[in-house]
Structure formats: C-alpha cells, structure tokens
Amino acid sequence: MAPNHPRLSRRLLLGVAAGAAFTAATAAGTGAAYGASRPSGNTRPNGTTRPYGTSRPAGGDWPTEFPLPDGWLPEGITIGSRPYAYMGSRANGAILRADLRTGATEVIHAGAPGTASIGLKLDRDGLLYVAGGAGGTAGVIDARTGAVVATHPLTPPTGHFVNDTVLLGRSAWFTDSNEAVLYAVPRGRSGAVRALPLTGDWVQTPGVINANGIVDTPDGRGLIVVSSNPGRLYHVDPRTGHATEIALHGAADVANGDGLARVGHTLYVVRNRDNLVAAFRLDRAIRTATLHHTITDPRFDVPTTAARHGDRLYLVNARFTSPQEPDTTFNAVAVPL
C-alpha cells in the first residue's frame, strides 16, 4: 500500500447480518452489486492466457464487483473464514463490511477526521488490526460493533507510514514504509508493543516507499515483506529481524509491490500501478520465488491489496492515478485464482 500522494468468533458470526443494507455512516454510496465480471485473463510466463471462468469459484454466482462510497479512498482489505470482507478508508479511517454473497455493504466504523485505515487483518476473535498510515498508529477495532478497543502509537508523529499488517503467533506485525523496522502489537487487549529493526540483506532507500505488504511464511514461523522500491521480497526472522532477500526467477523485480496474499506456497504480489497480480511459487526454504503466472483484469485501476476467499481473490482499487476527491468513485473486484 502506498501513501496517498501522487477467523471470526462464533458470537461475531451470529451477530453479522447476511445481506445487510448499506448504512451511510460517513459517506454516501450504494450497496448494489454489479453482475459478472468482464472478460479477463491469466497470463502465464510462456505468454499463454487462460480465460477466466475455466474454474468455477465457490459461490460462482456471487457478485464480482462491489461499489464503495464516493470518496472512500480504499487501500486495505481483509476476509476471515466467513464471506465478509472488511475495507478501510484513507479518507477518515472508516471501515466498511461487504457481504461477498450479496454485495450488500455497511459502514461498521465511522472513523474520524485526520485518521486513516490502511492495511488491516481480521483475527479469529473478531478483532480488526488496522495500520494507521501517516498517523503512526496500530488500531484494534471490534468488527461486530465498530468500537475502538485500543490504539497503539508505534512511531513519532511525523516521518513515518504504518502500512500493512499480518497476524503471526501472539502478535500483529506492522510495516513502516519509511523506516527499516517492524512493529509487533500483542493480539488481544493487553501487552506491550515491540519494535524490531530490519537487518541482514534489507536495503532501506530514502524518499521512496520501502516496506509495504507483509504475510506469514507457509510454515508459520517467519514473515515475508515486499519492498515496493526497487521491488524486492524478503524473508524476515521475527525473532531477530534478520532479512534474507528472496531470489526471483522469471521476473526481474516486483516494483510497485503492494499488498501480499499467500495460499500455501503460492505468493500473490499486487503490483499496484502495473495493474497486475504476480503469482510466485515459493520453495520450501523461502529462498526463491518463481513466477508462475500473472493475473490481469480490465477492471483493475491501481489495485493495492488482496484477500482470498474460496477460489477467488478480492482486491480494492485505490485509483492513485485518478483525482482523489469526495466525488471520486471507487470499488472492489473479485477475480478467480
């Protein structure tokens, strides 16, 4: 995810209304869902294209586009074990929930002026961990009620950008695009925040977006972080902060790498301004990543992050190359894996 310049609990699941109508809590918008997606393709390294639709996603008649409120300024998306997506707003930190089966949307957290919700992840207890962007914070929000459970200041008030997060072990890990450090925030309602400097192969370049998307490794013991510029992947030891660069095969780099999503040993890298998702196969030691195929879609308009549900990947379009105004339209889209 870029700055805007040029497992849910049973109680929570029972509390979620399937097909909720959109509530205009912070911005006007529509909860209507579009129909089937336009034709698109899945390009392999040899140049061949597999048309979408050859494998039917779970809930194949579910909507594949989700209009968001005008001026929403989306960037992060997360999905738990049930078919509900949560999307944050760069405009005011609000959070919206979408029913993947119907397309109905509802603002569950109104946000506040001067705040932002960038990357976010939903924990199995129904708590959302939210990166606060330039505010330098990690927020914890109850996904059922929208109430703020905690706000953790991670950085000084200026010169930082808390960008994305992943849940691993007892912590929610956050990236800072402007400093070579990760932050570990305790999962739950108590505990201390820990800063973990990045060392080893990590290269920090001044004046650009460095650490961005973050996921866990297939064995659940490590972290994978993408540095957007010049476009590198790193395997990070969460105990020491030592970063080992992952050698890329089939691709020179992952420039503009933003959100990361992982399914088994397949790593999906959203390359925002390139309007594509690069799918890499990771080796067991997480030393190499081999390009397997590339996902493109005519509906992509600077997608930033992705979350998987069933056989689909859901992405939000941040539209960084379009005017970021109160009346600018935004949406999220779904593509088959």
Side-chain angles (χ1 to χ4, degrees):
M1 290 165 279
N4 183 25
H5 57 258
R7 308 183 284 220
L8 294 168
S9 69
R10 178 176 178 84
R11 178 178 297 178
L12 172 63
L13 294 172
L14 292 175
V16 175
F22 172 71
T23 302
T26 58
T30 176
Y34 293 141
S37 64
R38 289 176 281 175
S40 35
N42 196 325
T43 305
R44 300 178 181 276
N46 61 9
T48 61
T49 299
R50 182 185 69 196
Y52 285 155
T54 56
S55 62
R56 183 176 179 83
D61 57 346
W62 293 0
T64 59
E65 290 195 34
F66 301 81
L68 303 176
D70 290 354
W72 183 258
L73 306 186
E75 185 149 354
I77 183 171
T78 185
I79 302 173
S81 60
R82 291 299 181 98
Y84 300 94
Y86 297 81
M87 292 168 265
S89 169
R90 289 177 285 121
N92 59 4
I95 296 174
L96 175 147
R97 178 175 59 216
D99 189 324
L100 304 182
R101 301 163 298 181
T102 66
T105 58
E106 177 186 7
V107 174
I108 64 163
H109 175 67
T115 67
S117 293
I118 311 299
L120 64 168
K121 288 295 182 294
L122 178 67
D123 208 344
R124 56 181 175 268
D125 60 2
L127 295 180
L128 283 163
Y129 292 83
V130 185
T137 62
V140 185
I141 294 173
D142 189 320
R144 181 186 59 177
T145 66
V148 177
V149 175
T151 301
H152 301 277
L154 303 181
T155 74
T158 61
H160 295 265
F161 194 85
V162 180
N163 205 326
D164 206 356
T165 181
V166 69
L167 307 178
L168 178 67
R170 298 180 178 179
S171 300
W173 292 87
F174 290 81
T175 60
D176 185 338
S177 294
N178 296 344
E179 186 174 351
V181 62
L182 300 179
Y183 300 95
V185 172
R187 295 165 70 175
R189 299 171 187 264
S190 63
V193 173
R194 178 167 67 102
L196 182 70
L198 293 170
T199 62
D201 294 340
W202 185 266
V203 176
Q204 186 76 11
T205 305
V208 299
I209 301 165
N210 290 269
N212 200 329
I214 183 171
V215 294
D216 59 347
T217 55
D219 62 7
R221 297 178 180 178
L223 298 164
I224 299 173
V225 179
V226 61
S227 179
S228 298
N229 297 285
R232 297 186 176 114
L233 292 172
Y234 294 91
H235 179 193
V236 179
D237 186 330
R239 299 168 301 172
T240 65
H242 187 276
T244 302
E245 184 174 354
I246 301 173
L248 301 179
H249 295 167
D253 56 50
V254 286
N256 297 316
D258 201 323
L260 301 180
R262 182 186 58 77
V263 181
H265 279 260
T266 301
L267 178 69
Y268 296 90
V269 182
V270 183
R271 297 180 59 177
N272 53 37
R273 294 175 187 265
D274 296 294
N275 285 311
L276 61 84
V277 181
F280 290 88
R281 289 292 295 174
L282 300 167
D283 73 324
R284 290 187 177 275
I286 320 299
R287 294 177 180 172
T288 65
T290 302
L291 184 65
H292 185 265
H293 63 277
T294 299
I295 302 172
T296 60
D297 192 288
R299 299 168 301 158
F300 286 174
D301 194 348
V302 194
T304 47
T305 56
R308 173 242 187 165
H309 184 78
D311 293 335
R312 286 179 172 179
L313 203 61
Y314 292 80
L315 305 96
V316 292
N317 282 315
R319 306 194 67 193
F320 289 145
T321 56
S322 300
Q324 306 284 285
E325 304 292 346
D327 59 351
T328 301
T329 60
F330 294 93
N331 69 344
V333 299
V335 296
L337 290 174

Short mmCIF file of all heavy atoms in Angstrom, two decimals, residues 40-44 50 52 268-269 271 274-279 291 293-297 300 303 313 315 335-337:
data_model
loop_
_atom_site.label_atom_id
_atom_site.label_comp_id
_atom_site.label_asym_id
_atom_site.label_seq_id
_atom_site.Cartn_x
_atom_site.Cartn_y
_atom_site.Cartn_z
N SER A 40 -11.45 -11.32 -18.84
CA SER A 40 -10.12 -11.02 -18.39
C SER A 40 -9.27 -12.26 -18.53
O SER A 40 -9.73 -13.29 -18.94
CB SER A 40 -10.13 -10.53 -16.94
OG SER A 40 -11.11 -11.17 -16.19
N GLY A 41 -8.00 -12.16 -18.18
CA GLY A 41 -7.12 -13.27 -18.47
C GLY A 41 -6.09 -13.52 -17.40
O GLY A 41 -5.86 -12.69 -16.54
N ASN A 42 -5.49 -14.68 -17.48
CA ASN A 42 -4.49 -15.12 -16.53
C ASN A 42 -3.27 -15.52 -17.35
O ASN A 42 -3.25 -16.56 -17.96
CB ASN A 42 -5.05 -16.31 -15.75
CG ASN A 42 -4.26 -16.58 -14.51
OD1 ASN A 42 -3.06 -16.42 -14.51
ND2 ASN A 42 -4.94 -17.03 -13.47
N THR A 43 -2.26 -14.65 -17.40
CA THR A 43 -1.14 -14.83 -18.31
C THR A 43 -0.02 -15.61 -17.65
O THR A 43 0.45 -15.27 -16.58
CB THR A 43 -0.60 -13.46 -18.77
OG1 THR A 43 -1.67 -12.72 -19.31
CG2 THR A 43 0.49 -13.64 -19.82
N ARG A 44 0.42 -16.66 -18.33
CA ARG A 44 1.50 -17.49 -17.83
C ARG A 44 2.83 -16.99 -18.36
O ARG A 44 2.86 -16.22 -19.32
CB ARG A 44 1.25 -18.94 -18.25
CG ARG A 44 -0.07 -19.49 -17.69
CD ARG A 44 -0.32 -20.91 -18.14
NE ARG A 44 -1.57 -21.41 -17.62
CZ ARG A 44 -1.72 -21.94 -16.42
NH1 ARG A 44 -0.67 -22.03 -15.63
NH2 ARG A 44 -2.88 -22.36 -16.00
N ARG A 50 -4.97 -18.09 -19.86
CA ARG A 50 -6.09 -18.94 -19.51
C ARG A 50 -7.29 -18.05 -19.24
O ARG A 50 -7.27 -17.24 -18.30
CB ARG A 50 -5.77 -19.74 -18.24
CG ARG A 50 -6.90 -20.69 -17.83
CD ARG A 50 -6.57 -21.37 -16.50
NE ARG A 50 -6.61 -20.41 -15.41
CZ ARG A 50 -6.07 -20.64 -14.22
NH1 ARG A 50 -5.40 -21.74 -14.01
NH2 ARG A 50 -6.17 -19.73 -13.27
N TYR A 52 -10.55 -16.50 -17.76
CA TYR A 52 -11.25 -16.71 -16.50
C TYR A 52 -12.56 -17.42 -16.77
O TYR A 52 -13.19 -17.29 -17.80
CB TYR A 52 -11.53 -15.36 -15.83
CG TYR A 52 -10.32 -14.73 -15.21
CD1 TYR A 52 -10.26 -13.37 -15.02
CD2 TYR A 52 -9.24 -15.51 -14.82
CE1 TYR A 52 -9.15 -12.78 -14.43
CE2 TYR A 52 -8.14 -14.93 -14.23
CZ TYR A 52 -8.10 -13.57 -14.04
OH TYR A 52 -7.02 -12.98 -13.45
N TYR A 268 0.98 -14.23 -3.82
CA TYR A 268 0.40 -13.26 -4.75
C TYR A 268 0.90 -11.87 -4.37
O TYR A 268 0.72 -11.42 -3.23
CB TYR A 268 -1.12 -13.32 -4.70
CG TYR A 268 -1.68 -14.64 -5.15
CD1 TYR A 268 -1.90 -15.68 -4.24
CD2 TYR A 268 -1.98 -14.87 -6.50
CE1 TYR A 268 -2.42 -16.91 -4.65
CE2 TYR A 268 -2.49 -16.10 -6.92
CZ TYR A 268 -2.70 -17.10 -5.99
OH TYR A 268 -3.20 -18.32 -6.41
N VAL A 269 1.54 -11.21 -5.33
CA VAL A 269 2.06 -9.87 -5.12
C VAL A 269 1.26 -8.89 -5.96
O VAL A 269 1.27 -8.96 -7.19
CB VAL A 269 3.55 -9.78 -5.51
CG1 VAL A 269 4.10 -8.38 -5.23
CG2 VAL A 269 4.38 -10.84 -4.78
N ARG A 271 0.87 -5.63 -7.72
CA ARG A 271 1.75 -4.56 -8.21
C ARG A 271 0.86 -3.41 -8.68
O ARG A 271 0.37 -3.39 -9.81
CB ARG A 271 2.66 -5.10 -9.32
CG ARG A 271 3.59 -6.19 -8.82
CD ARG A 271 4.49 -6.74 -9.89
NE ARG A 271 5.32 -5.69 -10.49
CZ ARG A 271 6.24 -5.93 -11.42
NH1 ARG A 271 6.44 -7.17 -11.85
NH2 ARG A 271 6.95 -4.93 -11.91
N ASP A 274 1.14 -1.15 -11.88
CA ASP A 274 1.25 -2.03 -13.04
C ASP A 274 -0.06 -2.74 -13.34
O ASP A 274 -0.17 -3.44 -14.35
CB ASP A 274 2.36 -3.06 -12.82
CG ASP A 274 3.72 -2.41 -12.70
OD1 ASP A 274 4.19 -1.83 -13.70
OD2 ASP A 274 4.32 -2.47 -11.60
N ASN A 275 -1.06 -2.58 -12.47
CA ASN A 275 -2.39 -3.17 -12.66
C ASN A 275 -2.32 -4.67 -12.92
O ASN A 275 -2.93 -5.20 -13.85
CB ASN A 275 -3.13 -2.47 -13.80
CG ASN A 275 -3.65 -1.11 -13.39
OD1 ASN A 275 -4.28 -0.95 -12.34
ND2 ASN A 275 -3.36 -0.09 -14.19
N LEU A 276 -1.60 -5.36 -12.05
CA LEU A 276 -1.50 -6.81 -12.18
C LEU A 276 -1.19 -7.43 -10.81
O LEU A 276 -0.78 -6.75 -9.88
CB LEU A 276 -0.43 -7.21 -13.20
CG LEU A 276 1.03 -6.81 -12.96
CD1 LEU A 276 1.75 -7.80 -12.06
CD2 LEU A 276 1.77 -6.69 -14.28
N VAL A 277 -1.41 -8.75 -10.75
CA VAL A 277 -1.03 -9.55 -9.60
C VAL A 277 -0.08 -10.62 -10.08
O VAL A 277 -0.42 -11.40 -10.98
CB VAL A 277 -2.25 -10.20 -8.91
CG1 VAL A 277 -1.80 -11.01 -7.69
CG2 VAL A 277 -3.27 -9.15 -8.50
N ALA A 278 1.13 -10.66 -9.54
CA ALA A 278 2.12 -11.66 -9.92
C ALA A 278 2.05 -12.81 -8.92
O ALA A 278 2.16 -12.59 -7.71
CB ALA A 278 3.51 -11.05 -9.95
N ALA A 279 1.86 -14.03 -9.43
CA ALA A 279 1.77 -15.22 -8.59
C ALA A 279 3.08 -15.99 -8.65
O ALA A 279 3.50 -16.43 -9.73
CB ALA A 279 0.61 -16.10 -9.03
N LEU A 291 8.14 -17.07 -10.74
CA LEU A 291 6.90 -16.57 -11.32
C LEU A 291 6.14 -17.71 -11.99
O LEU A 291 6.67 -18.40 -12.87
CB LEU A 291 7.19 -15.47 -12.32
CG LEU A 291 5.95 -14.78 -12.93
CD1 LEU A 291 5.16 -14.04 -11.86
CD2 LEU A 291 6.36 -13.83 -14.05
N HIS A 293 2.40 -17.37 -12.82
CA HIS A 293 1.51 -16.72 -13.78
C HIS A 293 1.20 -15.30 -13.30
O HIS A 293 1.57 -14.93 -12.18
CB HIS A 293 0.19 -17.50 -13.97
CG HIS A 293 -0.65 -17.61 -12.73
ND1 HIS A 293 -0.43 -18.57 -11.77
CD2 HIS A 293 -1.71 -16.88 -12.30
CE1 HIS A 293 -1.32 -18.44 -10.80
NE2 HIS A 293 -2.10 -17.42 -11.09
N THR A 294 0.58 -14.54 -14.17
CA THR A 294 0.23 -13.16 -13.87
C THR A 294 -1.26 -12.96 -14.08
O THR A 294 -1.80 -13.38 -15.10
CB THR A 294 1.02 -12.18 -14.76
OG1 THR A 294 2.41 -12.34 -14.51
CG2 THR A 294 0.62 -10.74 -14.48
N ILE A 295 -1.93 -12.35 -13.12
CA ILE A 295 -3.36 -12.07 -13.21
C ILE A 295 -3.56 -10.62 -13.63
O ILE A 295 -3.01 -9.71 -13.01
CB ILE A 295 -4.07 -12.33 -11.88
CG1 ILE A 295 -3.87 -13.79 -11.42
CG2 ILE A 295 -5.56 -12.00 -11.97
CD1 ILE A 295 -4.38 -14.06 -10.02
N THR A 296 -4.33 -10.44 -14.69
CA THR A 296 -4.72 -9.10 -15.11
C THR A 296 -6.23 -9.05 -15.27
O THR A 296 -6.89 -10.08 -15.38
CB THR A 296 -4.05 -8.71 -16.44
OG1 THR A 296 -4.44 -9.64 -17.45
CG2 THR A 296 -2.53 -8.72 -16.31
N ASP A 297 -6.78 -7.86 -15.28
CA ASP A 297 -8.22 -7.69 -15.43
C ASP A 297 -8.48 -6.26 -15.87
O ASP A 297 -7.87 -5.33 -15.33
CB ASP A 297 -8.93 -7.98 -14.11
CG ASP A 297 -10.44 -8.11 -14.26
OD1 ASP A 297 -11.11 -7.08 -14.48
OD2 ASP A 297 -10.95 -9.24 -14.15
N PHE A 300 -9.06 -3.61 -13.18
CA PHE A 300 -8.02 -3.15 -12.26
C PHE A 300 -7.74 -1.67 -12.52
O PHE A 300 -7.51 -1.25 -13.65
CB PHE A 300 -6.74 -3.94 -12.46
CG PHE A 300 -6.77 -5.34 -11.91
CD1 PHE A 300 -5.70 -6.21 -12.13
CD2 PHE A 300 -7.83 -5.81 -11.15
CE1 PHE A 300 -5.71 -7.50 -11.62
CE2 PHE A 300 -7.86 -7.10 -10.64
CZ PHE A 300 -6.78 -7.95 -10.88
N PRO A 303 -4.92 -1.45 -8.23
CA PRO A 303 -5.28 -2.25 -7.05
C PRO A 303 -4.13 -2.25 -6.05
O PRO A 303 -2.96 -2.24 -6.44
CB PRO A 303 -5.51 -3.65 -7.64
CG PRO A 303 -4.62 -3.70 -8.83
CD PRO A 303 -4.65 -2.29 -9.40
N LEU A 313 -9.87 -14.15 -5.52
CA LEU A 313 -9.05 -13.13 -4.90
C LEU A 313 -9.82 -11.82 -5.01
O LEU A 313 -10.28 -11.44 -6.09
CB LEU A 313 -7.71 -13.02 -5.63
CG LEU A 313 -6.51 -12.43 -4.88
CD1 LEU A 313 -6.18 -13.29 -3.66
CD2 LEU A 313 -5.32 -12.34 -5.82
N LEU A 315 -9.86 -7.71 -4.47
CA LEU A 315 -8.92 -6.59 -4.45
C LEU A 315 -9.67 -5.26 -4.42
O LEU A 315 -10.77 -5.14 -4.98
CB LEU A 315 -8.02 -6.60 -5.69
CG LEU A 315 -7.22 -7.87 -5.98
CD1 LEU A 315 -7.96 -8.75 -7.00
CD2 LEU A 315 -5.84 -7.54 -6.52
N VAL A 335 -11.53 -11.72 -8.69
CA VAL A 335 -11.04 -12.48 -9.85
C VAL A 335 -10.76 -13.90 -9.37
O VAL A 335 -10.43 -14.14 -8.22
CB VAL A 335 -9.76 -11.86 -10.45
CG1 VAL A 335 -10.04 -10.48 -11.01
CG2 VAL A 335 -8.63 -11.81 -9.42
N PRO A 336 -10.89 -14.88 -10.28
CA PRO A 336 -10.54 -16.25 -9.90
C PRO A 336 -9.04 -16.40 -9.69
O PRO A 336 -8.24 -15.72 -10.33
CB PRO A 336 -10.99 -17.08 -11.11
CG PRO A 336 -11.95 -16.20 -11.85
CD PRO A 336 -11.47 -14.80 -11.63
N LEU A 337 -8.67 -17.27 -8.80
CA LEU A 337 -7.26 -17.56 -8.57
C LEU A 337 -6.70 -18.35 -9.76
O LEU A 337 -7.41 -19.13 -10.38
CB LEU A 337 -7.07 -18.36 -7.28
CG LEU A 337 -7.34 -17.59 -5.98
CD1 LEU A 337 -7.26 -18.55 -4.80
CD2 LEU A 337 -6.33 -16.47 -5.83
#
